[in-house]
Amino acid sequence: MKWPYLVLIYVLVILSPLAASWSLNWPSRPFHQELASGLGMLAFSIILIEFLLSGRFKFISGNVGMDVTMRVHQLMARTALGFALIHPLLYQGTPTGGHRPWDVTHQLTLTTDFSALVTGIGAYFLFVILAASAIFRKSLECKYETWRLFHGLGALVLVCLLLHHTVYAGRYGGHPSLSYLWFVLTGIAVGTLLYVYLVRPFRQRKRPWSVSTVSRLTPRQWELRLKPVGHKGLTYEAGQFAWLNVGHSPFSLNENPFSISSAPGGGPEVSFVIKELGDFTCGLGQIAQQTPVYLDAPHGNLSIKNRSENGIVLIAGGVGIAPMLSILRQAKLCGRPRDIKLIYGNRLVEQIVYREELTQEDTVFVVSEPSKDWQGEIGLIDGPLLDRNLSKEHFDGWLFVLCGPTAMMDNVEDHLIARGTSSERILSERFDYD
Ligand SMILES: Cc1cc2nc3c(=O)[nH]c(=O)nc-3n(C[C@H](O)[C@H](O)[C@H](O)COP(=O)(O)OP(=O)(O)OC[C@H]3O[C@@H](n4cnc5c(N)ncnc54)[C@H](O)[C@@H]3O)c2cc1C
């Protein structure tokens, strides 16, 4: 599905409770009270859709990319937080009280029912804690997996509190049709969690993999090769990535995303180029052969399939070379149906992986801290470097595929746009969602 349709569906879903409330045609209250209800409802429906956005569903992230999906998840959470924070403040001055039989539409009074209010107050503070712990995750210095567990369980508690508060304290949420809608939307969100943490791992358990080899490529980069156990392997496209769970139960939260560096046509084994960073990646050298692995794959939209451009410029920084290797290797297997040029940057010469293999391609090696005998490009992958190595024909007609550090990606994207390359001809994958 094309992204404009996804955006349209998204907007329709988050607005559906508002539209349903409006269709009740109840007598209106002062504007600030209606706004308070509206913002509360919007915040809740945005939170519910957050479950879908973070659920790695291919009909979403397969179309717009996982990095874009997660960025939308983060931005919409902040928007919902803003709405939620304002929501109770706008009720200031509204008479409160218990149930009034003569005020069936709750036009005149706010509920003071303790249980309905306490779930709202609980949700208010929990939402702030969840959002703050996500925004400042890296400064918390807790393990990623621990944070992810806290985030998932916290979000589950949050929607339960919000459902209770909306149905029992909300003016509109108490109406049977609205209550039904909220239950359905909450059911979908919770169902997503069950699917992600129970159904999907259960399916992965039936398609295990095992470590074939782990080899050091450079001082801090490794190649991990996996072979399928009892099945034919994975159907994927060059440039896609997988979530790897190495040596844990398929139901474990210990999994990390890595781009596949092997070619889809190269046999059932899949390989990855992995750079040491934290607890899992720094322990790669200790992983034994035959260690069981589970794969959640394929994901990502860094695919050149169905692209009609005459040529492709691949631009990689550091370990961003992984998906480019897959694309290059697949092109070689297919007899290289179109021109491919690679621009590959590293800080040091020793960090270049598969140098011999890449030298056989049309590759521009870039090093920012070169050794004395370095013959290639020196510096960073930036505008002047692109201008030196690319022609008008590249900027005007070729497909660009980017993967690397955020600063490099931002710089290259800006330069390509400035040179007239349309954004439809720029594909990118970011390794960091923050
Ligand atoms: C789509 C994608 C493709 C990637 N491809 C490669 C690759 O080919 N080669 C490579 O070396 N690195 C790749 N990465 C980065 C890699 O996932 C992290 O370096 C790795 O997960 C770090 O794990 P760790 O346990 O060693 O370190 P940690 O200290 O646990 O994590 C370091 C950081 O990695 C990120 N991270 C960790 N676990 C996850 C997770 N389950 N989901 C999302 N982010 C997580 C978080 O930002 C975290 O702060 C990719 C990342 C993404 C999002």
Side-chain angles (χ1 to χ4, degrees):
M1 198 185 297
K2 295 256 186 257
W3 70 263
Y5 295 112
L6 284 174
V7 173
L8 183 69
I9 294 171
Y10 180 83
V11 172
L12 290 178
V13 174
I14 62 168
L15 290 181
S16 61
L18 275 186
S21 308
W22 182 67
S23 72
L24 293 177
N25 217 4
W26 277 0
S28 66
R29 300 170 298 174
F31 176 72
H32 66 279
Q33 289 179 25
E34 293 296 346
L35 184 64
S37 293
L39 291 179
M41 283 190 269
L42 266 180
F44 189 19
S45 53
I46 290 173
I47 290 168
L48 291 172
I49 305 303
E50 293 289 271
F51 285 77
L52 275 168
L53 292 180
S54 57
R56 302 179 199 165
F57 291 102
K58 286 175 194 157
F59 72 93
I60 304 174
S61 49
N63 285 296
V64 294
M66 188 62 76
D67 45 1
V68 173
T69 311
M70 293 313 291
R71 195 76 198 126
V72 173
H73 174 83
Q74 293 163 349
L75 289 176
M76 291 316 292
R78 287 165 205 202
T79 308
L81 182 64
F83 292 167
L85 290 178
I86 301 168
H87 161 76
L89 308 180
L90 290 171
Y91 284 121
Q92 293 301 322
T94 312
T96 55
H99 177 62
R100 291 354 189 241
W102 61 89
D103 185 22
V104 280
T105 65
H106 301 278
Q107 184 193 11
L108 306 173
T109 49
L110 273 183
T111 183
T112 50
D113 176 34
F114 178 73
S115 68
L117 287 183
V118 82
T119 47
I121 295 167
Y124 196 81
F125 290 108
L126 179 57
F127 192 15
V128 172
I129 293 169
L130 278 180
S133 66
I135 293 167
F136 302 109
R137 176 177 62 81
K138 286 194 174 156
S139 346
L140 290 178
E141 289 184 15
C142 82
K143 273 188 73 181
Y144 183 85
E145 291 73 19
T146 312
W147 170 82
R148 194 175 152 203
L149 179 66
F150 166 76
H151 196 70
L153 287 179
L156 183 62
V157 174
L158 177 67
V159 294
C160 293
L161 293 174
L162 284 175
L163 180 65
H164 183 270
H165 176 69
T166 306
V167 169
Y168 290 100
R171 181 191 190 205
Y172 299 102
H175 187 275
S177 62
L178 261 294
S179 298
Y180 180 75
L181 179 61
W182 285 118
F183 269 101
V184 168
L185 290 176
T186 308
I188 293 172
V190 175
T192 304
L193 271 191
L194 295 178
Y195 178 79
V196 170
Y197 292 108
L198 291 177
V199 178
R200 199 181 272 161
F202 191 76
R203 281 165 44 185
Q204 285 166 20
R205 202 173 64 153
K206 293 188 172 162
R207 293 176 61 80
W209 295 70
S210 83
V211 173
S212 170
T213 54
V214 188
S215 29
R216 195 189 280 276
L217 298 173
T218 69
R220 290 191 55 213
Q221 289 175 103
W222 298 79
E223 186 200 65
L224 176 67
R225 286 192 77 80
L226 306 176
K227 58 179 180 224
V229 179
H231 58 95
K232 287 188 180 149
L234 183 68
T235 305
Y236 63 99
E237 287 168 28
Q240 288 194 294
F241 71 91
W243 255 275
L244 297 194
N245 166 344
V246 181
H248 298 280
S249 144
F251 298 95
S252 156
L253 292 182
N254 286 283
E255 48 171 6
N256 301 73
F258 297 105
S259 294
I260 304 169
S261 58
S262 49
E269 288 205 352
V270 288
S271 67
F272 302 85
V273 176
I274 301 179
K275 183 182 168 186
E276 291 180 3
L277 183 72
D279 50 355
F280 170 67
T281 48
C282 289
L284 278 165
Q286 277 95 60
I287 295 174
Q289 283 186 343
Q290 312 298 339
T291 301
V293 180
Y294 297 97
L295 245 68
D296 179 6
H299 288 282
N301 66 343
L302 203 75
S303 163
I304 58 163
K305 209 176 157 193
N306 303 326
R307 299 298 304 217
S308 56
E309 290 83 357
N310 293 334
I312 307 168
V313 181
L314 306 174
I315 303 180
V319 76
I321 191 66
M324 311 306 179
L325 283 166
S326 179
I327 292 171
L328 284 165
R329 288 167 175 172
Q330 182 63 16
K332 200 168 185 178
L333 284 176
C334 298
R336 215 173 293 279
R338 53 187 153 182
D339 290 337
I340 303 186
K341 187 179 182 82
L342 170 69
I343 300 178
Y344 175 29
N346 279 287
R347 192 168 61 83
L348 303 169
V349 180
E350 305 84 88
Q351 292 169 337
I352 299 174
V353 294
Y354 300 106
R355 191 167 170 187
E356 215 167 290
E357 179 182 340
L358 295 176
T359 306
Q360 292 161 26
E361 308 284 342
D362 178 5
T363 303
V364 178
F365 290 101
V366 187
V367 171
S368 60
E369 293 175 23
S371 51
K372 279 191 185 133
D373 56 346
W374 177 246
Q375 307 273 314
E377 281 277 4
I378 296 174
L380 299 171
I381 302 181
D382 54 12
L385 182 126
L386 295 180
D387 287 343
R388 271 200 304 280
N389 290 282
L390 300 176
S391 66
K392 189 165 172 2
E393 187 201 340
H394 293 117
F395 291 121
D396 287 351
W398 283 34
L399 175 68
F400 285 81
V401 183
L402 325 179
C403 189
T406 305
M408 181 210 91
M409 307 262 285
D410 291 344
N411 220 327
V412 171
E413 272 173 5
D414 289 350
H415 190 74
L416 292 177
I417 299 290
R419 285 283 171 270
T421 307
S422 70
S423 54
E424 291 83 52
R425 280 192 290 109
I426 305 174
L427 301 180
S428 63
E429 187 78 76
R430 288 173 190 256
F431 283 180
D432 195 350
Y433 299 145
D434 297 309

Coordinates of all heavy atoms in Angstrom, one line a residue, residues 56 66 137-138 144-145 148 241 243 253 255-260 273-282 319 322-323 429-434, ligand 1:
R56 N 6.3 -3.9 13.9 CA 7.0 -4.4 12.8 C 6.1 -5.1 11.7 O 6.4 -6.1 11.2 CB 8.0 -5.5 13.2 CG 9.0 -5.0 14.2 CD 9.9 -6.2 14.5 NE 10.6 -5.9 15.8 CZ 11.3 -6.9 16.5 NH1 11.3 -8.1 16.0 NH2 11.9 -6.6 17.6
M66 N 11.3 1.1 8.2 CA 11.2 0.9 9.6 C 11.6 2.2 10.4 O 11.0 2.6 11.4 CB 12.1 -0.3 10.1 CG 12.0 -0.7 11.5 SD 10.3 -1.2 11.9 CE 10.3 -2.9 11.2
R137 N 16.2 7.6 26.9 CA 16.6 6.2 27.1 C 18.1 6.1 27.2 O 18.6 5.4 28.1 CB 16.1 5.4 26.0 CG 16.5 3.9 26.0 CD 15.9 3.1 24.9 NE 16.3 3.5 23.6 CZ 17.4 3.2 23.0 NH1 18.3 2.5 23.6 NH2 17.6 3.6 21.7
K138 N 18.8 6.7 26.3 CA 20.3 6.5 26.3 C 21.0 7.0 27.5 O 22.0 6.5 27.9 CB 20.9 7.1 25.0 CG 20.5 6.3 23.8 CD 21.3 6.6 22.6 CE 21.0 5.6 21.5 NZ 21.2 6.1 20.2
Y144 N 19.0 -2.2 26.8 CA 18.0 -1.9 25.9 C 16.8 -2.8 26.1 O 15.6 -2.4 26.1 CB 18.5 -2.1 24.4 CG 17.5 -1.8 23.4 CD1 17.3 -0.4 23.0 CD2 16.7 -2.7 22.8 CE1 16.4 -0.1 22.0 CE2 15.7 -2.4 21.9 CZ 15.6 -1.1 21.5 OH 14.6 -0.8 20.5
E145 N 17.1 -4.1 26.4 CA 16.0 -5.1 26.6 C 15.2 -4.8 27.8 O 14.0 -5.0 27.8 CB 16.7 -6.5 26.7 CG 17.3 -7.1 25.4 CD 18.6 -6.4 25.0 OE1 19.3 -5.8 25.9 OE2 19.0 -6.5 23.8
R148 N 13.0 -2.0 26.9 CA 11.9 -2.4 26.0 C 10.8 -3.1 26.8 O 9.6 -2.9 26.5 CB 12.5 -3.3 25.0 CG 11.7 -3.6 23.8 CD 12.4 -4.4 22.8 NE 11.4 -5.1 22.0 CZ 11.7 -6.2 21.3 NH1 12.9 -6.7 21.3 NH2 10.7 -6.9 20.7
F241 N 16.7 -6.4 6.1 CA 17.3 -6.7 7.3 C 16.5 -7.7 8.2 O 15.3 -7.9 7.8 CB 17.7 -5.4 8.1 CG 16.5 -4.7 8.7 CD1 16.0 -5.0 10.0 CD2 15.8 -3.7 8.0 CE1 15.0 -4.3 10.6 CE2 14.7 -3.1 8.5 CZ 14.3 -3.4 9.8
W243 N 15.7 -9.2 12.4 CA 16.0 -9.1 13.8 C 16.5 -10.5 14.2 O 15.9 -11.5 14.0 CB 14.7 -8.9 14.6 CG 14.6 -7.5 15.1 CD1 15.1 -7.0 16.3 CD2 13.9 -6.4 14.4 NE1 14.8 -5.6 16.4 CE2 14.1 -5.2 15.3 CE3 13.2 -6.2 13.2 CZ2 13.6 -4.0 15.0 CZ3 12.7 -5.0 12.9 CH2 12.9 -3.9 13.8
L253 N 13.3 -11.3 24.8 CA 13.3 -9.9 24.2 C 14.7 -9.6 23.7 O 15.0 -8.5 23.1 CB 12.9 -8.9 25.2 CG 11.5 -8.9 25.7 CD1 11.3 -7.8 26.7 CD2 10.5 -8.7 24.5
E255 N 16.9 -9.5 21.1 CA 17.0 -9.6 19.6 C 17.5 -8.2 19.1 O 17.2 -7.2 19.7 CB 15.7 -10.0 19.0 CG 14.5 -9.2 19.5 CD 13.3 -9.5 18.7 OE1 13.2 -10.3 17.8 OE2 12.3 -8.7 19.0
N256 N 18.3 -8.3 18.1 CA 18.9 -7.0 17.5 C 18.7 -7.0 16.0 O 18.8 -8.1 15.3 CB 20.3 -7.0 17.8 CG 20.6 -7.0 19.3 OD1 20.5 -8.1 19.9 ND2 21.0 -5.9 19.9
P257 N 18.5 -5.8 15.4 CA 18.3 -5.8 14.0 C 19.7 -5.6 13.2 O 20.5 -4.8 13.7 CB 17.5 -4.5 13.8 CG 17.8 -3.6 15.0 CD 18.2 -4.5 16.1
F258 N 19.8 -6.4 12.2 CA 21.0 -6.3 11.4 C 20.7 -6.5 9.9 O 19.8 -7.4 9.6 CB 22.0 -7.4 11.8 CG 22.5 -7.2 13.2 CD1 22.1 -8.1 14.2 CD2 23.4 -6.2 13.5 CE1 22.5 -7.9 15.5 CE2 23.9 -6.1 14.8 CZ 23.4 -6.9 15.8
S259 N 21.3 -5.8 9.0 CA 21.1 -5.9 7.6 C 21.7 -7.2 7.1 O 22.8 -7.6 7.5 CB 21.7 -4.7 6.9 OG 21.0 -3.6 7.2
I260 N 21.1 -7.8 6.2 CA 21.6 -9.1 5.6 C 22.6 -8.6 4.5 O 22.4 -7.8 3.7 CB 20.5 -9.9 4.9 CG1 19.4 -10.1 6.0 CG2 21.0 -11.2 4.4 CD1 18.1 -10.7 5.4
V273 N 27.1 -8.4 8.5 CA 28.4 -7.7 8.9 C 28.0 -6.9 10.2 O 27.1 -6.0 10.1 CB 28.9 -6.8 7.8 CG1 30.1 -6.0 8.3 CG2 29.2 -7.6 6.6
I274 N 28.7 -7.2 11.3 CA 28.2 -6.6 12.5 C 29.4 -5.9 13.2 O 30.5 -6.4 13.4 CB 27.6 -7.7 13.5 CG1 26.5 -8.3 12.8 CG2 27.2 -7.1 14.8 CD1 25.8 -9.5 13.6
K275 N 29.1 -4.6 13.6 CA 30.1 -3.8 14.3 C 29.9 -3.9 15.8 O 28.8 -3.8 16.3 CB 30.0 -2.4 13.8 CG 31.0 -1.5 14.4 CD 30.8 -0.1 13.9 CE 31.6 0.9 14.6 NZ 31.3 2.3 14.3
E276 N 31.0 -4.0 16.5 CA 30.9 -4.0 18.0 C 30.4 -2.7 18.5 O 30.8 -1.6 18.1 CB 32.3 -4.3 18.6 CG 32.8 -5.7 18.4 CD 34.1 -5.9 19.0 OE1 34.7 -5.0 19.6 OE2 34.7 -7.0 18.7
L277 N 29.4 -2.8 19.4 CA 28.8 -1.6 20.0 C 28.4 -1.7 21.5 O 28.9 -1.0 22.3 CB 27.6 -1.1 19.2 CG 26.9 0.2 19.6 CD1 27.8 1.4 19.2 CD2 25.5 0.3 19.0
G278 N 27.6 -2.8 21.7 CA 27.2 -2.9 23.1 C 27.3 -4.4 23.6 O 28.1 -5.1 23.0
D279 N 26.4 -4.8 24.5 CA 26.6 -6.1 25.1 C 26.5 -7.3 24.1 O 27.4 -8.2 24.1 CB 25.6 -6.3 26.2 CG 24.2 -6.0 25.9 OD1 23.9 -5.5 24.7 OD2 23.3 -6.3 26.7
F280 N 25.5 -7.3 23.2 CA 25.5 -8.4 22.2 C 26.6 -8.4 21.2 O 27.3 -9.3 21.0 CB 24.1 -8.4 21.5 CG 24.1 -9.4 20.4 CD1 24.2 -10.8 20.6 CD2 24.0 -9.0 19.1 CE1 24.2 -11.7 19.6 CE2 24.0 -9.9 18.0 CZ 24.1 -11.2 18.2
T281 N 26.8 -7.2 20.6 CA 27.7 -7.2 19.5 C 29.2 -7.3 20.0 O 30.0 -7.8 19.2 CB 27.6 -5.8 18.7 OG1 27.5 -4.8 19.6 CG2 26.3 -5.8 17.9
C282 N 29.5 -6.9 21.2 CA 30.8 -7.1 21.7 C 31.1 -8.5 22.1 O 32.3 -8.9 22.4 CB 31.1 -6.1 22.9 SG 31.2 -4.4 22.3
V319 N 29.6 0.5 8.9 CA 28.9 -0.8 8.8 C 27.7 -0.7 7.9 O 27.0 -1.7 7.6 CB 28.6 -1.3 10.2 CG1 27.5 -0.6 10.9 CG2 28.4 -2.8 10.2
A322 N 26.8 -3.1 4.9 CA 26.1 -4.4 5.0 C 25.0 -4.6 3.9 O 25.1 -5.5 3.1 CB 25.6 -4.7 6.4
P323 N 24.0 -3.7 3.8 CA 23.0 -4.0 2.8 C 23.5 -3.8 1.4 O 23.0 -4.4 0.4 CB 21.9 -2.9 3.2 CG 22.6 -1.9 4.0 CD 23.7 -2.6 4.7
E429 N 18.3 3.7 4.8 CA 18.0 2.9 6.0 C 18.9 3.5 7.1 O 20.1 3.6 6.9 CB 18.4 1.4 5.7 CG 17.9 0.5 6.9 CD 16.4 0.2 6.8 OE1 16.0 -0.6 6.0 OE2 15.7 0.8 7.6
R430 N 18.2 3.8 8.2 CA 19.0 4.3 9.3 C 19.1 3.2 10.4 O 18.2 2.5 10.6 CB 18.3 5.6 9.9 CG 18.5 6.8 9.0 CD 17.7 8.0 9.4 NE 17.7 9.0 8.3 CZ 18.5 10.0 8.3 NH1 19.3 10.3 9.3 NH2 18.5 10.9 7.3
F431 N 20.3 3.1 11.0 CA 20.6 2.1 11.9 C 20.2 2.5 13.4 O 20.4 1.8 14.3 CB 22.0 1.7 11.9 CG 22.4 0.8 10.7 CD1 23.7 0.3 10.6 CD2 21.4 0.3 9.8 CE1 24.0 -0.5 9.5 CE2 21.7 -0.5 8.8 CZ 23.0 -0.9 8.6
D432 N 19.8 3.8 13.5 CA 19.5 4.3 14.8 C 18.2 5.1 14.7 O 18.0 5.9 13.9 CB 20.6 5.3 15.2 CG 20.6 5.6 16.7 OD1 19.6 5.2 17.4 OD2 21.5 6.2 17.2
Y433 N 17.2 4.7 15.6 CA 15.9 5.3 15.6 C 15.8 6.6 16.4 O 14.8 7.3 16.4 CB 14.8 4.3 16.1 CG 14.7 3.1 15.3 CD1 14.4 1.9 15.9 CD2 14.9 3.1 13.9 CE1 14.3 0.7 15.2 CE2 14.8 1.9 13.2 CZ 14.5 0.7 13.8 OH 14.4 -0.4 13.1
D434 N 16.9 6.8 17.2 CA 16.8 8.0 18.2 C 17.1 9.3 17.5 O 17.9 9.3 16.6 CB 17.7 7.7 19.4 CG 17.2 6.5 20.1 OD1 16.0 6.4 20.4 OD2 18.0 5.6 20.4
Ligands
LIG1 C1 17.3 -1.5 10.6 C2 18.7 -1.7 11.3 C3 19.7 -2.4 10.6 C4 20.9 -2.5 11.3 N1 21.9 -3.2 10.6 C5 23.1 -3.3 11.2 C6 24.2 -4.0 10.6 O1 24.0 -4.5 9.5 N2 25.3 -4.1 11.2 C7 25.5 -3.5 12.5 O2 26.6 -3.7 13.0 N3 24.6 -2.8 13.1 C8 23.3 -2.7 12.5 N4 22.3 -2.1 13.2 C9 22.6 -1.5 14.5 C10 22.5 -2.7 15.5 O3 21.2 -3.1 15.6 C11 22.9 -2.3 16.9 O4 24.2 -1.8 16.8 C12 22.8 -3.4 17.8 O5 21.5 -3.8 18.0 C13 23.5 -3.1 19.2 O6 23.2 -4.1 20.1 P1 24.1 -4.4 21.4 O7 23.4 -5.3 22.3 O8 25.5 -4.7 21.0 O9 24.2 -2.9 22.0 P2 23.1 -2.2 23.0 O10 24.0 -1.4 23.9 O11 22.2 -3.2 23.6 O12 22.4 -1.3 22.0 C14 23.0 -0.2 21.4 C15 21.9 0.6 20.6 O13 21.4 -0.3 19.6 C16 20.0 -0.1 19.4 N5 19.4 -1.4 19.6 C17 19.7 -2.4 20.4 N6 18.8 -3.4 20.3 C18 17.9 -3.0 19.5 C19 16.6 -3.6 19.0 N7 16.2 -4.8 19.5 N8 15.9 -2.8 18.2 C20 16.3 -1.6 17.8 N9 17.4 -1.0 18.2 C21 18.2 -1.7 19.0 C22 19.6 0.9 20.4 O14 19.6 2.2 19.8 C23 20.6 0.8 21.5 O15 20.7 2.0 22.2 C24 21.1 -1.9 12.5 C25 20.1 -1.3 13.2 C26 18.9 -1.1 12.6 C27 17.8 -0.4 13.2

